[in-house]
Amino acid sequence: FFHLLVVVVCVTLPSSRKPPTPRNKFSLFSISPPNQPIMGKQKKGVKEFVTDLLTGGVAASIAKTINAPIERVKIVLQTQHLKPPELRYAGIVDAFVKIPKTEGFWSLWRGNATNVLRYFPTQALNFAFKDKYKDMFVPNDPKSYGKYELAGRNMLAGGAAGGTSLVFVYPMDLARTRLSGDIGKVKKYTGFGDVIKQVYRNEGGLVALYRGFVLSVAGIIPYRAVYFGGYDTLKAMFLSDPNGTSFWKKWAVSQTNTTIAQYLTYPIDTVRRRLMLKGEKEGKSKDGKPAVVYRNAFHCAQVIVKEEGVTGLFKGAFANTIRATGGALCIVFYEEIKEYMDAQKNASQ
């Protein structure tokens, strides 16, 4: 019902598309031509920003719910080294077979509600801020830029959007990771609220909810830069009419771009998820506290390579490649919904 309500709101709000404007030559890092305003380009209002926010959230919720089982298996494989040997899986197939047997079929969707709760504002803010930053860094018709200049501008906009949105939703990401990595019949957490409460109460307050945040920013900025900026660049290069191209062609471009983005930053993602799980193994040290195995991000990466080899940094990468379909679908769903809204607006006029 909530998703249906959001879709209705999205359709009734006006579109934020603006016509292209002529471009004057200026450097890559200048926001707009010096001492010369851009004619015909207006700033987006509150309604347009809300439209971007809701449209991106709906697109993300649909795609991530479809991919929820793959996403949980990916996180389990990525972080299972911190668990006892009897709770570890040999690979993606072993995990898909044993998790339903041990925890029940619907356990593959464990944490999905939290993931949607997290991903709705994450992607919504990403898309909304992306358009805001794109207005700043790409103020004119994309075809008026050289391909390298366009790539640089798009990646600056995408990276800035990803870094900004992460500040708002990081505790949700941490909670989702803990719920997905909570394997076995006996669960440590009962839900999203329980994760937040336990981490805040037992691990150091607000600071604990942002454990691994700096590393996440270091990873999310290049990932989002390629995810958003790369998609816009590839679309401009390989699709003659981006706005009139079929859904499947857009998806093919988006899938290629998303796969490249996730492999470039996957080792960072592995380290940050290990840190999100407190970097602790099961059991206690001499003073009764959890036995810490990772002091910081660099030490975490060192331990992973030493104990598991370089491939340890890419555990769950294949599952993540399949999961990347969700990220590819998100950006295409977003554009399809926007085009539908444009059509509805034109029809009403």
Side-chain angles (χ1 to χ4, degrees):
F1 173 78
F2 175 71
H3 287 164
L4 178 62
L5 178 63
V6 172
V7 171
V8 171
V9 173
C10 285
V11 171
T12 57
L13 288 174
S15 171
S16 60
R17 294 287 185 191
K18 299 291 187 299
T21 55
R23 181 227 178 200
N24 292 304
K25 292 183 178 180
F26 56 99
S27 67
L28 169 62
F29 297 101
S30 61
I31 304 292
S32 59
N35 302 323
Q36 187 174 356
I38 300 170
M39 301 304 294
K41 191 169 182 72
Q42 300 176 352
K43 291 184 177 180
K44 295 180 181 179
V46 175
K47 287 187 177 181
E48 287 78 6
F49 185 85
V50 172
T51 299
D52 288 341
L53 195 70
L54 295 178
T55 303
V58 171
S61 299
I62 294 171
K64 297 303 288 183
T65 298
I66 293 172
N67 274 330
I70 301 173
E71 191 154 4
R72 192 193 173 198
V73 167
K74 172 250 182 183
I75 292 178
V76 167
L77 294 175
Q78 202 172 25
T79 61
Q80 66 176 352
H81 190 72
L82 297 171
K83 303 294 181 181
E86 62 271 16
L87 293 179
R88 299 177 189 175
Y89 302 98
I92 182 173
V93 175
D94 189 41
F96 268 115
V97 171
K98 290 183 179 179
I99 288 177
K101 285 184 178 180
T102 305
E103 306 176 30
F105 175 75
W106 294 110
S107 66
L108 291 171
W109 276 266
R110 175 171 169 77
N112 182 55
T114 302
N115 194 27
V116 170
L117 178 64
R118 176 197 71 88
Y119 214 78
F120 189 95
T122 299
Q123 285 296 82
L125 288 167
N126 278 335
F127 283 117
F129 283 123
K130 175 216 172 190
D131 281 349
K132 286 291 184 181
Y133 284 117
K134 192 173 181 180
D135 286 346
M136 294 170 58
F137 290 106
V138 190
N140 300 299
D141 186 352
K143 293 182 179 180
S144 65
Y145 299 101
K147 61 180 180 179
Y148 295 113
E149 182 180 359
L150 177 62
R153 289 176 175 275
N154 281 330
M155 289 184 180
L156 283 172
T164 303
S165 62
L166 189 64
V167 175
F168 295 93
V169 299
Y170 189 80
M172 296 182 185
D173 192 21
L174 182 142
R176 188 282 300 257
T177 298
R178 296 222 178 172
L179 286 173
S180 296
D182 191 12
I183 55 179
K185 290 184 178 180
V186 179
K187 301 298 182 184
K188 184 176 182 179
Y189 305 108
T190 59
F192 169 74
D194 188 44
V195 174
I196 298 297
K197 182 174 67 176
Q198 287 196 42
V199 172
Y200 186 86
R201 180 183 296 173
N202 303 326
E203 300 178 29
L206 185 63
V207 175
L209 293 173
Y210 280 86
R211 182 180 287 111
F213 175 77
V214 174
L215 184 65
S216 295
V217 171
I220 199 67
I221 289 180
Y223 175 80
R224 291 297 173 186
V226 178
Y227 177 65
F228 284 119
Y231 175 70
D232 288 337
T233 301
L234 291 176
K235 190 173 66 170
M237 290 173 63
F238 296 106
L239 303 180
S240 57
D241 181 16
N243 294 326
T245 304
S246 70
F247 175 88
W248 297 110
K249 286 184 179 180
K250 288 181 180 178
W251 174 79
V253 171
S254 182
Q255 180 68 38
T256 301
N257 178 69
T258 305
T259 302
I260 293 171
Q262 63 100 6
Y263 267 104
L264 287 175
T265 59
Y266 195 81
I268 296 177
D269 187 59
T270 297
V271 172
R272 80 184 185 93
R273 295 220 181 268
R274 296 280 183 100
L275 293 175
M276 282 180 177
L277 292 180
K278 298 187 294 185
E280 298 168 354
K281 284 185 176 178
E282 300 293 333
K284 304 289 183 179
S285 60
K286 293 181 180 180
D287 59 1
K289 295 182 179 181
V292 177
V293 292
Y294 306 133
R295 295 190 297 270
N296 50 50
F298 182 71
H299 181 245
C300 177
Q302 281 185 315
V303 172
I304 292 174
V305 172
K306 182 178 179 180
E307 296 184 356
E308 307 167 51
V310 176
T311 56
L313 294 170
F314 290 89
K315 282 188 174 179
F318 179 69
N320 197 50
T321 299
I322 302 173
R323 183 198 67 85
T325 303
L329 288 173
C330 279
I331 201 166
V332 179
F333 281 151
Y334 173 76
E335 289 199 344
E336 292 295 313
I337 294 172
K338 292 278 285 183
E339 287 179 9
Y340 174 77
M341 291 162 53
D342 286 344
Q344 290 293 105
K345 179 183 178 182
N346 293 334
S348 65
Q349 291 177 345

